[in-house]
Amino acid sequence: MSKISSTLRTLFGLSDTKKAKTGTVRTEFYRGHLLKRNPSHPDYWTVTITDKSMVGKLEYVKKAVDQWCDFKVVVGPEFFEKNEDTFSEQQTFDYKEFKLKNDCGGDNDWYVTYRGRLMKGSKEKIMKAIDALEQRRAEAVKAAQIEE
């Protein structure tokens, strides 16, 4: 609305014609599924997967959609909510653009996929191995440049 029209409205005592929308439901698309926010409880969302309606927090509803899209298995959001502790136990460590992961919590339970190869062991040994492989790779690149 321009300044002139708003000034005229206030001068003549006219109310603003635009009103806030009421009763609208916030929606979001995620991997081809429509997620709807529950108006009575704003933290909960609803999704329908194969004629089954599921309600839960947004992160768990998205995990349920992921399970359906990836594995064609219907898993309710309450499963992820109950088992959140087991999923949060995983430790991660970023090292030179690689993610070292530890699911069990032991010192020798670290692993990483380095250029398609699985490396397992302690965090320090994996970091040394990555350094050695990166150094070997850099030397091979230099040798290839010298030959050209």
Side-chain angles (χ1 to χ4, degrees):
M1 192 178 338
S2 68
K3 288 184 178 181
I4 295 172
S5 63
S6 63
T7 306
L8 289 174
R9 288 188 180 284
T10 56
L11 185 67
F12 292 110
L14 298 173
S15 64
D16 196 10
T17 57
K18 291 185 178 180
K19 293 183 180 178
K21 293 181 181 179
T22 57
T24 58
V25 176
R26 183 170 172 211
T27 60
E28 183 177 316
F29 271 100
Y30 182 73
R31 295 186 75 172
H33 290 78
L34 181 66
L35 308 178
K36 294 180 186 177
R37 178 180 264 176
N38 191 339
S40 62
H41 199 292
D43 289 342
Y44 285 90
W45 291 70
T46 305
V47 66
T48 303
I49 300 174
T50 65
D51 298 331
K52 293 181 184 175
S53 183
M54 295 182 227
V55 178
K57 291 187 178 180
L58 182 61
E59 62 182 300
Y60 304 126
V61 169
K62 285 185 174 182
K63 285 182 181 181
V65 171
D66 287 338
Q67 282 290 320
W68 173 250
C69 291
D70 295 339
F71 305 111
K72 298 295 184 221
V73 175
V74 178
V75 178
E78 58 276 354
F79 171 79
F80 298 107
E81 199 165 355
K82 281 190 277 183
N83 297 322
E84 183 179 21
D85 296 336
T86 58
F87 295 125
S88 64
E89 287 177 9
Q90 184 183 50
Q91 298 174 347
T92 58
F93 180 76
D94 291 330
Y95 183 71
K96 293 188 178 182
E97 301 176 12
F98 296 101
K99 279 198 182 260
L100 281 72
K101 296 181 183 181
N102 187 341
D103 294 333
C104 301
D107 291 338
N108 287 335
D109 292 334
W110 289 89
Y111 64 95
V112 66
T113 304
Y114 176 83
R115 305 205 188 280
R117 294 169 42 192
L118 179 66
M119 299 170 64
K120 298 165 91 177
S122 68
K123 185 175 12 175
E124 293 79 20
K125 289 197 176 191
I126 291 175
M127 292 185 330
K128 286 179 186 177
I130 289 174
D131 288 338
L133 290 170
E134 289 288 315
Q135 183 179 8
R136 199 178 317 159
R137 188 166 187 255
E139 290 171 359
V141 168
K142 284 182 185 178
Q145 288 176 348
I146 293 172
E147 290 177 5
E148 293 177 354

